[in-house]
Amino acid sequence: MPYRAPVKDIRFILDHVVGFADVLATPRFTGTTPDLAEAILSEAGRISTDVLAPLNRAGDLSPARLENGAVVSSPGFAEGYRAIAEGGWVGMAASPDHGGMGLPIALALSVDEMMSGACLGLQLKPLLSKGQIEALEHHGSEELKALYLPKLTSGEWSGTMNLTEPHAGTDVGALRSKAVPNGDGTYAVSGQKIFITWGDSDLTSNVCHLVLARLPDGVPGTKGISLFMVPKFIPDAAGNPGKRNTLRVVSLEHKLGIHGSPTCVMQFDDATGWLVGAPHNGMAAMFTMMNNARLSVAAQGVGVAEAALQHALAYAEGRRQGATPLSKEGTIIEHADVRRMLAAMRAEVFAARSIGLSCAVAIDMATATGAADWKARAAFLTPIAKAYCTDIACEVAHQGVQVHGGMGFIEETGAAQYLRDARILPIYEGTNGIQAMDLVGRKMADGGEVAFRLIDEVQRGAEAARGKLPDLAGDVWATAEALREATEALVAMGLNDRFAGAVAYLRAFARVLGGQAHLKAALADGGREALARVMIRRLLPENLGLLAEVREGAAGLYAVGGDDLAA
């Protein structure tokens, strides 16, 4: 079955689970009426289903390639990207001052998800542009904004993010790239960067690189890093692509998946660049882009999971094999174990989608109100959304292969592509271990205040639901209480002890938020109760083991020596 954008499910979550109506009620977003939001989702769903989804397999089988130093895109990608750019989808949430629509992030994220589910390899291109737009809006000079933002927003030009170097991955402060003032307001940027998504393209007339590098007076570590705009073609006096800059694609990475997305090794040799933000403040500017990208990657995870689930469901509904409890010669969906896998997959996708959109709503409310509580909530939910949604992408795609049985291991069925494509997502934009450490470290610097507020909210909702769904409400309340107790223990720990249980803690928190989302859904629509029971009665109990791990600390891990780990 071809991919179909899940417009109905997204609208249900916006309307009944994450409080999107509150966003539309703010003065900042009053122009985004419910009818407009519905029209946007429907049209994005149509493009994703009819235009982008047919390109997904072509991108896998006919990867982007490097010819004479330039990237040649997969078949059909030019037409697909044109539909994205000409439809205004790149600049949905961008400022109207430079041609954007100024729409809520929750809507933009919903579109990201649908386009990712349709064709992740292509959707990665506008994703990086969106992050660059936000970084320039917050940190770029007026001159840079006027020159670059209209072209990026329209999709005429595209953006990239250049952090990683062969010797400096998560430890960005170890980078060796340098920038030397040219004396005319520009800088000569030199160095090599790796893992640069869509570092070159034949789909746009210019590729704009945001590059981290160190000025001559930059101190060691992250505090000495600056950020520079380094375009492939230096804009001329009219703002059009002019002289070719001194940068090049060295090679394309040979990857497990997302073959349609060219991941480049980039070389900068005294390339002309312009400072973005203050000198030595590059990490602050880059984190604006990274936080945007982290939530977008969460949406990618949900999109791939949705697509993998649809693929597996179609196979299970059509594959006849043996007698089942329901018929003498039924399809495999009638077997309890296959039904178990598909039900769990759907429950996980719903929970992940709800968590991602809840984070987006918090960002929108922070933008609309400026309230510190909303900003703190958005910051807390970002690592949870990024890690949980991308882990679920891998888990659901894995189960999708399992549903296919032996045929899932055969490339021709297409099931394996979702698993291969999804595997990068828990690594992108800070590995999920880093997300978990951020959650229990920086995001717990308030003593757990935001965490406790979210737990309070879950328990209030569960209390209110006891009259209609007493068993489900009771389970959600009890699991939230266990999370509260584990949180109290966590904030009393030293930082490294927190880190040892960070991944388990993040998953446990996501499980509770997922249970809350399913409970809300079942209250709003009785037809969703069966799926809520799968989440709350079958998956939520995993928290007992997760929270036990949280309490263990780090000592037991360091007691495992080299001899214990060796074969």
Side-chain angles (χ1 to χ4, degrees), residues 383-384 387 431-441 498-499 501-507:
I384 296 176
T431 66
N432 285 357
I434 294 294
Q435 304 302 319
M437 291 165 68
D438 176 50
L439 178 67
V440 303
R498 293 189 196 183
F499 288 166
V503 168
Y505 181 77
L506 186 150
R507 173 56 72 99

Side-chain angles (χ1 to χ4, degrees), residues 215-219 222-227 275 278-283:
L215 290 166
D217 59 344
V219 300
T222 56
K223 293 184 179 179
I225 297 176
S226 301
L227 184 64
L275 184 67
H280 319 308
N281 198 39
M283 288 305 295

Side-chain angles (χ1 to χ4, degrees), residues 523-542:
L523 288 170
D525 178 358
R528 292 178 178 263
E529 182 181 336
L531 196 63
R533 289 191 175 277
V534 171
M535 182 70 192
I536 295 170
R537 304 307 297 272
R538 292 178 178 271
L539 303 179
L540 195 54
E542 293 175 5

Side-chain angles (χ1 to χ4, degrees), residues 316-335:
E317 289 177 329
R319 171 67 167 166
R320 293 189 175 277
Q321 185 166 305
T324 78
L326 303 181
S327 61
K328 290 183 179 180
E329 189 182 351
T331 57
I332 61 173
I333 196 173
E334 296 175 4
H335 290 286

Side-chain angles (χ1 to χ4, degrees), residues 42 118 124 130 154 205 234 267 281 409 445 479 481-482 516-517 525 554:
S42 296
L124 277 159
K130 292 177 183 181
S154 69
S205 60
I234 299 172
Q267 181 69 39
N281 198 39
F409 201 66
T479 310
E481 183 62 19
Q516 175 193 34
D525 178 358

